[in-house]
Amino acid sequence: MGKWKMVQLGDVVTFDMKSQAPQDISADDIYIGLEDIEKNSGKIIYPIKKVCNSDIKSNKFRFNSKHILYGKLRPNLNKVALPDFSGVCSTDIYPILPDSKKVNRSYLCSILREQAFVAFSSSKTTGINLPRIGSKTIAEYQFPLPPLDVQKRIADVLDKASALIELRRAQLDKLDLLIKSQFIQMFGDPVTNPMGWTSYHLEEVYYILDGDRGKNYPKQDEFYDNEYCLFLNTGNVTANGFNFVNNQFITKDKDTALNKGKLSRYDLVVTTRGTVGNIAYYDDTVSFENIRINSGMVILRQKSNIASKFFISYFKNPSVYKRLISGTAQPQMPIGSMKKAKVFMPPLSLQNEFAIFVDNVEQQKIFLQQSLAKLELNYKSLMQKCFRGEIF
């Protein structure tokens, strides 16, 4: 991989997994769980929480500002963080201590976030329901190691590029907050319903359609980079709607063999397992004519008059969808719970007025999303060039 020498991760780090028994943990300790690290960006979600009584019942790992925190559970989520404080963390997180005489902490963090390592770790997991990767396996990963001063320069360049990406994401977040604020102003809180709108069960408003999970469900070798029908993966349905950067397809014959789970225009898709509660709208802006959901999603198809963009904002409120989630290790949103979920229904004219407002904001979001996509592609290219030694 370029002009730098290759080393194994285990040669330059220590997996600092000194398990702390409950009696060694204080309620004053700051606690980081896997859910407190954002995927891909590695941002630690603030405010940081103190250890609570239920947390003290289980063992933890200690970490400090010299460690890298790496989420070993579902490594495809790419949860890698650089804490600037001390605390304890879930045993689903490895505190990795770089040898400062050999490797720069920020440089190593970039290596662990790089797509090659994510692909490596995802391919080496054990466990079906809760895939995880062992420290001995991670230690075998090989990566380029330039001199320390070059590592520092690479880390600085990548940090500046990453800061631009975070700026775009923050701008998108502000537009999302604008939509949420407008929703509350027009309709009130979706749970307490202070304006007294008439409420219905979700099954009265939408058909809730599952996918085909039978014998014809596609196997790994039946997916293609370009074919007849897009078969949605977890990365396609995000907190911000559809994302079609990494796609997989099935043939027309395989599509025909499947019974349930094919989208019609103006359907909604909701993720119901793993990352739960993401929702996307299959409107005319989506170019794919044939799309199917995977086993961790459901389709919402209208059975009564409702503005889809009103419902999306209603459902995306955490106080709405989080009530429907069961399980902690493997969160899921059962269809039975979804059917009985309450939806209030303001007059359709008011819903449509809100939808027009959302359309205007989304036009601004499109520009920022396009800019973000370019920045992310440039970042990946820059990262690869740095690691190949083509820049330094």
Side-chain angles (χ1 to χ4, degrees), residues 9 54-55 57 64 93 98 120 128 156 171 179 186 231 276:
L9 188 69
S54 59
D55 292 324
K57 294 178 182 177
N64 58 46
I93 298 172
F120 168 84
I128 298 174
D156 288 345
Q171 291 170 327
I179 292 174
M186 292 180 67
F231 197 89
V276 178

Side-chain angles (χ1 to χ4, degrees), residues 184-198:
I184 296 297
Q185 183 177 331
M186 292 180 67
F187 307 113
D189 181 85
V191 174
T192 60
N193 190 12
M195 297 185 183
W197 307 115
T198 303

Side-chain angles (χ1 to χ4, degrees), residues 144-388:
L145 190 72
L148 273 171
D149 63 321
V150 177
Q151 292 179 42
K152 176 67 166 57
R153 283 152 55 197
I154 289 174
D156 288 345
V157 168
L158 293 178
D159 284 347
K160 289 175 182 176
S162 181
L164 288 174
I165 291 173
E166 288 307 309
L167 175 61
R168 286 291 179 272
R169 287 175 177 161
Q171 291 170 327
L172 284 166
D173 288 343
K174 285 183 179 179
L175 290 178
D176 286 335
L177 285 173
L178 181 61
I179 292 174
K180 291 176 184 177
S181 175
Q182 183 70 8
F183 182 95
I184 296 297
Q185 183 177 331
M186 292 180 67
F187 307 113
D189 181 85
V191 174
T192 60
N193 190 12
M195 297 185 183
W197 307 115
T198 303
S199 294
Y200 299 87
H201 288 125
L202 183 59
E203 65 180 345
E204 298 178 88
V205 183
Y206 285 97
Y207 298 101
I208 305 175
L209 309 174
D210 206 351
D212 189 333
R213 303 184 186 184
K215 62 181 181 180
N216 291 318
Y217 192 85
K219 299 178 178 62
Q220 193 59 44
D221 61 359
E222 294 177 309
F223 290 120
Y224 300 88
D225 291 334
N226 192 13
E227 253 296 346
Y228 175 76
C229 179
L230 177 67
F231 197 89
L232 294 174
N233 61 58
T234 54
N236 292 142
V237 184
T238 75
N240 294 311
F242 281 124
N243 182 309
F244 298 119
V245 174
N246 297 304
N247 304 321
Q248 58 187 13
F249 296 83
I250 57 175
T251 63
K252 189 172 184 178
D253 287 343
K254 174 56 69 172
D255 175 59
T256 303
L258 294 166
N259 294 315
K260 304 181 295 179
K262 190 161 187 178
L263 294 181
S264 298
R265 285 291 174 185
Y266 315 117
D267 283 346
L268 301 175
V269 179
V270 178
T271 56
T272 56
R273 287 196 302 181
T275 302
V276 178
N278 289 346
I279 186 167
Y281 183 31
Y282 183 41
D283 62 5
D284 293 325
T285 65
V286 178
S287 61
F288 299 102
E289 292 297 329
N290 297 283
I291 304 180
R292 283 190 175 274
I293 59 172
N294 72 11
S295 59
M297 305 172 183
V298 296
I299 297 169
L300 300 186
R301 185 167 293 161
Q302 276 192 36
K303 63 164 60 173
S304 63
N305 282 337
I306 185 171
S308 294
K309 292 185 177 179
F310 159 79
F311 177 77
I312 289 171
S313 289
Y314 179 98
F315 184 82
K316 284 175 72 173
N317 189 300
S319 59
V320 172
Y321 74 83
K322 285 188 176 180
R323 288 174 165 225
L324 311 178
I325 297 173
S326 60
T328 52
Q330 180 72 5
Q332 57 183 325
M333 188 184 296
I335 287 180
S337 299
M338 294 184 69
K339 286 181 177 180
K340 299 306 177 184
K342 288 294 186 73
V343 182
F344 65 49
M345 294 278 280
L348 188 60
S349 60
L350 201 59
Q351 294 182 40
N352 287 332
E353 181 183 330
F354 175 74
I356 291 170
F357 174 85
V358 172
D359 284 339
N360 291 333
V361 175
E362 285 183 342
Q363 288 302 311
Q364 301 175 57
K365 288 180 65 176
I366 288 171
F367 170 78
L368 290 174
Q369 286 165 342
Q370 290 172 340
S371 173
L372 176 61
K374 289 180 181 178
L375 286 171
E376 288 176 333
L377 284 174
N378 290 340
Y379 179 82
K380 289 179 182 179
S381 175
L382 177 63
M383 181 182 285
Q384 290 166 0
K385 288 179 179 179
C386 286
F387 295 160
R388 288 196 298 262

Side-chain angles (χ1 to χ4, degrees), residues 58-157:
S58 61
N59 286 18
K60 301 286 180 291
F61 294 143
R62 286 208 173 272
F63 68 87
N64 58 46
S65 57
K66 295 181 180 179
H67 287 96
I68 296 173
L69 299 181
Y70 175 76
K72 67 178 181 181
L73 188 66
R74 296 193 189 92
N76 63 298
L77 296 179
N78 194 14
K79 294 197 171 190
V80 187
L82 290 175
D84 57 2
F85 54 89
S86 300
V88 293
C89 65
S90 161
T91 52
D92 287 330
I93 298 172
Y94 289 139
I96 298 176
L97 184 63
D99 183 340
S100 60
K101 295 180 180 179
K102 296 179 181 178
V103 63
N104 176 274
R105 179 172 174 253
S106 294
Y107 174 81
L108 182 59
C109 185
S110 297
I111 290 288
L112 297 179
R113 288 178 181 165
E114 209 264 329
Q115 194 55 45
F117 177 74
V118 176
F120 168 84
S121 58
S122 299
S123 69
K124 301 289 185 179
T125 58
T126 58
I128 298 174
N129 293 328
L130 294 172
R132 63 188 66 220
I133 185 166
S135 58
K136 291 182 179 179
T137 303
I138 297 175
E140 296 172 355
Y141 183 72
Q142 293 191 341
F143 67 96
L145 190 72
L148 273 171
D149 63 321
V150 177
Q151 292 179 42
K152 176 67 166 57
R153 283 152 55 197
I154 289 174
D156 288 345
V157 168

